[in-house]
Amino acid sequence: MNDVPTDAKVDLSAKGSVGGRFIRSILRSRETGIALAIVIMVMVLAILAPSFLSADNVSNNARNMSFVGLAVLGEALVLIIGGIDLSVGSIWGVTAVASAALMGYGLPTPVAIAGGLSLAALFGLFNGLCITWLRMPPFVPTLATMSIARATALMITRGRSIDEFRPIGDSFFELGGGSILGIPTPFLLFVVLSIIMWIVLDRTVFGRRLYAIGGNETAARLSGIEVDRMKIMVYVLSALFAGLAGLVEVSYLSSAIANQGTGKELNVIAAAVIGGTNLMGGEGTILGVFFGAIILEILRNGLVLIGTDAYSQGIFVGLVIIIAVFIDQLRKGVWRRK
Amino acid sequence: MSALLTIDAVSRTFPGVKALENVSFDIEAGRVHAIVGENGAGKSTLMQIIAGVQQPNGGRLLLDGQEIHLSGTREARKKGIGIVFQELNLAPNMTVAENICLGIEPPRGKVFLDRERQRSLARDALGRMSVDIDLDTRVGDLSIAQQQLIEICKALIHDPRLLILDEPTSSLSEAETAFLFKVMADLKAAGVTMLYISHRMPEIFSVCDAITILRDGHHVRTMALADTSPEEVVRLMVGRDLSNVGRSPAANPDQPVVLDVRGLTREPHYRDMSFRVRAGEIVGFAGLVGAGRSETMLGLFGSPPPEAGEIRIDGKVVTIDRAATAIAHGIALLPEDRKRQGLVLGLSVSNNLALAALGQNARHGLIDFPAERSLVGDYIARLRIKTPNAAAKVGNLSGGNQQKVVLAKWLATNPRVLIVDEPTRGVDVGSKAQIYAFLRELAAGGLAIIVVSSDLPEVIAISNRILVMRDGRLVGELAGADADEEKIMALAALDQTGGAVAAAR
């Protein structure tokens, strides 16, 4: 009997004007819910910890979240095609130390960056080939790459940090540490790449095909989509974004160590899931993961500011993941019927 | 009155939809009772209510005159109601015995599994249907027909008094269907009442005693089958007279050959397949399930490609190694399994419809949205696809409308050759007629069409020419005008000696 009120609502929307329907579709969309959560979190923190909204803190947060944010842009593509990439944290680290090492050898900055990203792409290619040619479930090769890439990073550094690979004040450090019009460069990069990836997913043939692959791979293949080629491209892209995160972080830290990015794959996947990406594939948006990355950062920073035990942070992150997915299921009506 | 089950004023509403409204009728004990209706008429919802999968919003069910409340399938099972769903629910990596006993693993002591008892339970269930299938075979290695029988065993093991069969023959060939009917006759003799859901009139009239017709969630009529005719039933289902689908005459031999296939082989599925299809011709492929028809069609589509043989399109030899190249050469394939191979159920009507022709509606990789909208709008109108709007999830459409979306997806690629595999499986009578008419119209426009179907009246009605396959080979050709069911079956099942399921492998 509790279906009746829902019925009435559906009737209303059917009769509503076009504008009304548009507003309703915005209200119902997943991204609106996530944005609302951000607004509430910001308001609560602004009251509990006034320093939260200080220019310095906001700017720091924007910079901090950009590293994970960049990696999420790639991971989102992987999750949309129904895969998973566990190697992003390690690729992040190996790209960081490889680029720093190349600069340390005196190579020009663009060459060193290209070198680091090529290495990242190579790991992505390896993942993609294992998944397509060798028909492995994505978990396996990306888990292997997680280990291989980390070890590669350790071999490059021999356990030491790479410092002074560029003179102090070098323009390379602007990438992670600089600001443009008061906005931290990494955040600008994150926003610009998010817009580009939004266009790719929403407006291009490539993006549309990714959703088809994630929704039903067999049907996608039989519709003439080159599923294997697309998958390889997606894993390479994911590695490139992870590598970029590492590069920007090295620029920010002006020092590279082998354990950079360790464990970040979990933050990256968490941000994507909080942002409404479906781990079963076929569902997810760039706006969603963008918001997901913001939530994760606000949570991290907010808990510190209100003085929670630093050790307990993981509990809150975990709970937020569960709550986010639960709310998403409510929205989809998973629980409407018994 | 010997009503086993009384359905009394049952209603069920979903948000925005009244699936069932005030439905009442009796199911007499010991009968085979057919439930018919177009897709969306409420058959599935009603069956799910009887089987305890869903609960009604109003009304009640009486079993032997006693009101019952079913909170789930387990509860229904205890009351003696079993259901065999249309889709197979088997664990392909487990054995026949394990699958039959799924959910009732007999324990030894409190912890361990009593494998002996499991096997004997399974053996008994198979024995009741006089089916001979090895208990230790992996279910995934069985034919679809055999899997269907395993599904029935799963229900039989609970000794149901009422067994619901939801379109059990939709993936079976004629011979396998005949075998299933024998099984049903045995069960009936043993006192099992059955509810039989089907779209196929000849089947209903050969096995059922009574029939209930549903339309748009309402009960139209319940009557003895002896008192009615297929024509009347169809009329009551659709609420209008359907003109006979008729027959297609032979195609014009002056038309050029579009598709010329020579010696196509992929062991063990098909071998030495040679045939031609002219422009404007509809060629039917008949045969038992497992004869290699669908595999041959997938071969033409490069999924996977044949090991040997030659494909010519418009006289030119083409190499087809995957779906993308097949499409590039003008071949379109509406696959056998709509939900698994045809549609991305989570995406919209529009996104599904535009999927295969995506590249054609794009500039520099960017989708041309106005062009896509007009393409989608055109096909929704042309094929009369019933959908709230183009952005609706395709998974929420009825079977017939889903099939039209798949058809539209392929027509949007402007193919030279259109292959349709089981185009009307799970499709209601009204949509069926529309699909036939549309295929004829396309052929008249010069398209070369291949129709694969296990529904013999369908193949006969729609085809200009019929090719029959058996065990991976072409075994005969019949002109559409002088084909009939007996002639086709004789070719399709020549070697057979009664053991229908064995023949289908």
Side-chain angles (χ1 to χ4, degrees):
Chain A
M1 275 303 162
N2 50 11
D3 281 311
V4 176
T6 332
D7 254 359
K9 244 184 267 163
V10 170
D11 279 351
L12 266 178
S13 73
K15 282 178 206 138
S17 63
V18 175
R21 232 180 292 151
F22 178 67
I23 290 169
R24 200 164 281 112
S25 80
I26 285 187
L27 286 180
R28 278 212 191 138
S29 95
R30 165 188 295 143
E31 286 75 18
T32 316
I34 305 169
L36 201 68
I38 293 177
V39 171
I40 293 170
M41 285 170 80
V42 168
M43 290 198 309
V44 169
L45 281 171
I47 295 164
L48 293 180
S51 62
F52 175 72
L53 283 181
S54 73
D56 269 2
N57 192 56
V58 170
S59 161
N60 272 337
N61 280 349
R63 195 185 303 275
N64 269 331
M65 64 167 283
S66 303
F67 311 118
V68 164
L70 286 169
V72 180
L73 294 180
E75 184 81 52
L77 305 184
V78 174
L79 296 177
I80 284 169
I81 61 165
I84 193 158
D85 188 349
L86 297 175
S87 63
V88 288
S90 293
I91 291 177
W92 170 326
V94 77
T95 310
V97 297
S99 319
L102 289 175
M103 282 184 244
Y105 290 136
L107 289 175
T109 304
V111 177
I113 289 178
L117 289 179
S118 304
L119 184 63
L122 220 55
F123 279 115
L125 185 67
F126 174 76
N127 285 337
L129 292 180
C130 286
I131 289 158
T132 54
W133 288 6
L134 303 181
R135 303 262 156 247
M136 289 182 183
F139 200 97
V140 175
T142 61
L143 184 69
T145 300
M146 179 176 165
S147 172
I148 295 170
R150 184 65 62 198
T152 310
L154 282 164
M155 283 164 64
I156 293 172
T157 61
R158 307 307 307 173
R160 288 184 294 269
S161 67
I162 304 176
D163 303 306
E164 295 169 7
F165 47 86
R166 276 286 178 271
I168 295 165
D170 187 90
S171 61
F172 172 70
F173 298 126
E174 289 298 309
L175 184 62
S179 297
I180 296 171
L181 300 170
I183 304 167
T185 329
F187 186 69
L188 270 180
L189 191 65
F190 175 41
V191 171
V192 168
L193 287 173
S194 293
I195 293 169
I196 292 173
M197 291 318 287
W198 171 74
I199 292 170
V200 166
L201 274 182
D202 210 57
R203 311 259 111 184
T204 68
V205 173
F206 177 80
R208 180 77 67 78
R209 286 179 174 159
L210 295 188
Y211 286 106
I213 293 172
N216 184 344
E217 192 175 322
T218 309
R221 206 180 288 275
L222 286 177
S223 298
I225 295 174
E226 309 270 15
V227 173
D228 286 0
R229 196 190 301 168
M230 303 268 298
K231 278 188 173 175
I232 294 171
M233 283 165 76
V234 163
Y235 281 93
V236 169
L237 276 172
S238 175
L240 281 174
F241 274 109
L244 187 62
L247 257 172
V248 178
E249 197 186 44
V250 165
S251 161
Y252 172 57
L253 300 172
S254 51
S255 161
I257 47 173
N259 69 359
Q260 262 177 267
T262 302
K264 291 294 185 194
E265 57 280 341
L266 297 181
N267 293 13
V268 168
I269 294 167
V273 171
I274 291 170
T277 313
N278 187 341
L279 286 186
M280 305 299 287
E283 255 183 290
T285 61
I286 290 299
L287 192 61
V289 301
F290 185 86
F291 287 156
I294 292 180
I295 287 193
L296 215 55
E297 178 62 21
I298 294 181
L299 197 65
R300 190 198 60 78
N301 178 242
L303 291 170
V304 173
L305 288 182
I306 61 176
T308 28
D309 176 5
Y311 293 135
S312 70
Q313 234 185 59
I315 293 178
F316 292 94
V317 173
L319 289 178
V320 166
I321 293 174
I322 297 295
I323 293 168
V325 173
F326 178 70
I327 291 174
D328 201 38
Q329 288 178 332
L330 280 183
R331 195 188 55 81
K332 282 194 228 159
V334 174
W335 308 104
R336 194 173 302 150
R337 268 189 287 155
K338 188 186 95 79
Chain B
M1 284 284 283
S2 60
L4 175 70
L5 185 74
T6 301
I7 292 148
D8 184 23
V10 165
S11 296
R12 174 78 176 126
T13 38
F14 296 109
V17 190
K18 282 184 172 161
L20 286 176
E21 209 175 353
N22 208 12
V23 170
S24 303
F25 64 95
D26 285 349
I27 295 157
E28 310 276 322
R31 302 285 185 83
V32 180
H33 192 124
I35 310 280
V36 299
E38 291 192 278
N39 283 357
K43 292 170 302 194
S44 299
T45 309
L46 182 61
M47 293 312 112
Q48 293 188 354
I49 286 173
I50 297 175
V53 181
Q54 291 186 24
Q55 282 67 46
N57 299 121
R60 51 191 194 144
L61 299 176
L62 304 170
L63 189 69
D64 297 324
Q66 301 271 307
E67 185 169 348
I68 52 168
H69 296 279
L70 303 174
S71 55
T73 43
R74 201 170 266 270
E75 184 78 21
R77 221 185 271 152
K78 261 193 245 160
K79 297 263 195 308
I81 300 171
I83 184 163
V84 177
F85 293 103
Q86 186 180 359
E87 269 99 33
L88 295 169
N89 294 294
L90 297 170
N93 284 319
M94 294 169 81
T95 65
V96 168
E98 286 166 344
N99 265 287
I100 292 176
C101 296
L102 212 59
I104 51 149
E105 287 72 19
R108 166 179 298 166
K110 286 220 182 304
V111 180
F112 298 101
L113 178 67
D114 188 344
R115 286 195 183 275
E116 275 315 302
R117 224 174 101 58
Q118 188 181 49
R119 292 172 63 87
S120 77
L121 278 172
R123 201 176 299 117
D124 287 352
L126 285 168
R128 279 180 75 176
M129 303 200 303
S130 29
V131 180
D132 185 24
I133 300 174
D134 179 29
L135 291 176
D136 298 317
T137 314
R138 259 183 78 241
V139 160
D141 295 335
L142 297 177
S143 71
I144 297 288
Q146 288 172 321
Q147 294 188 17
Q148 190 87 55
L149 293 174
I150 302 296
E151 278 286 359
I152 297 175
C153 283
K154 266 172 69 182
L156 283 184
I157 203 159
H158 300 285
D159 271 323
R161 299 170 62 201
L162 177 65
L163 182 62
I164 303 169
L165 299 163
D166 191 357
E167 296 209 41
T169 60
S170 64
S171 50
L172 303 189
S173 66
E174 300 264 321
E176 292 156 353
T177 302
F179 185 80
L180 177 71
F181 289 170
K182 207 166 76 47
V183 170
M184 286 172 64
D186 292 347
L187 291 175
K188 184 178 159 186
V192 179
T193 308
M194 279 167 275
L195 279 178
Y196 186 81
I197 299 159
S198 177
H199 283 295
R200 299 182 182 173
M201 289 305 138
E203 290 179 10
I204 289 169
F205 278 82
S206 70
V207 289
C208 299
D209 308 301
I211 187 165
T212 290
I213 297 141
L214 297 176
R215 186 167 72 224
D216 298 331
H218 293 268
H219 177 248
V220 177
R221 196 181 296 175
T222 296
M223 55 193 165
L225 268 173
D227 303 340
T228 184
S229 66
E231 290 73 26
E232 188 190 17
V233 170
V234 170
R235 198 171 58 242
L236 291 171
M237 275 166 66
V238 297
R240 63 183 184 276
D241 259 314
L242 277 179
S243 55
N244 201 336
V245 274
R247 283 187 177 223
S248 306
N252 182 356
D254 300 335
Q255 289 284 342
V257 171
V258 177
L259 178 70
D260 186 353
V261 178
R262 298 178 190 178
L264 216 61
T265 301
R266 182 180 177 91
E267 296 291 352
H269 303 292
Y270 52 90
R271 58 199 69 86
D272 206 21
M273 295 287 298
S274 300
F275 56 90
R276 297 167 161 199
V277 185
R278 293 178 185 278
E281 191 180 24
I282 302 180
V283 174
F285 268 73
L288 300 176
V289 170
R293 294 169 301 163
S294 299
E295 289 79 0
T296 309
M297 297 309 142
L298 284 168
L300 281 175
F301 209 61
S303 312
E307 295 158 347
E310 199 175 88
I311 301 168
R312 289 168 193 248
I313 288 179
D314 295 328
K316 278 193 281 294
V317 179
V318 295
T319 309
I320 293 173
D321 59 349
R322 56 194 196 277
T325 50
I327 294 166
H329 289 301
I331 300 179
L333 172 69
L334 180 140
E336 182 184 12
D337 187 336
R338 177 168 65 232
K339 288 184 177 161
R340 207 176 59 79
Q341 304 170 309
L343 293 168
V344 186
L345 290 173
L347 288 183
S348 66
V349 169
S350 162
N351 284 359
N352 270 285
L353 206 156
L355 194 59
L358 206 50
Q360 295 164 23
N361 291 306
R363 260 173 305 185
H364 313 301
L366 286 169
I367 296 167
D368 181 348
F369 284 93
E372 185 178 290
R373 262 196 297 280
S374 79
L375 173 95
V376 170
D378 280 357
Y379 277 106
I380 287 178
R382 253 178 94 190
L383 289 179
R384 281 183 262 164
I385 300 173
K386 251 196 251 169
T387 174
N389 53 57
K393 260 194 195 179
V394 81
N396 294 340
L397 267 51
S398 74
N401 285 300
Q402 288 183 354
Q403 193 68 304
K404 289 181 188 175
V405 172
V406 185
L407 191 57
K409 173 174 92 173
W410 288 113
L411 295 176
T413 64
N414 293 317
R416 302 274 296 127
V417 180
L418 174 66
I419 305 169
V420 293
D421 195 349
E422 303 290 357
T424 62
R425 176 177 292 172
V427 166
D428 58 274
V429 180
S431 300
K432 250 187 201 179
Q434 286 175 8
I435 289 174
Y436 294 152
F438 201 70
L439 288 175
R440 288 211 176 105
E441 194 185 311
L442 290 168
L447 198 62
I449 299 179
I450 294 177
V451 177
V452 176
S453 176
S454 296
D455 187 345
L456 285 182
E458 171 171 302
V459 184
I460 294 167
I462 192 84
S463 312
N464 304 118
R465 192 153 58 90
I466 296 165
L467 301 177
V468 184
M469 280 186 80
R470 185 180 71 236
D471 289 337
R473 287 177 194 282
L474 271 181
V475 289
E477 176 173 337
L478 295 162
D482 48 53
D484 60 35
E485 298 190 30
E486 285 85 331
K487 282 182 192 163
I488 295 175
M489 282 317 294
L491 286 167
L494 202 69
D495 293 346
Q496 280 181 275
T497 49
V501 170
R505 271 187 300 134

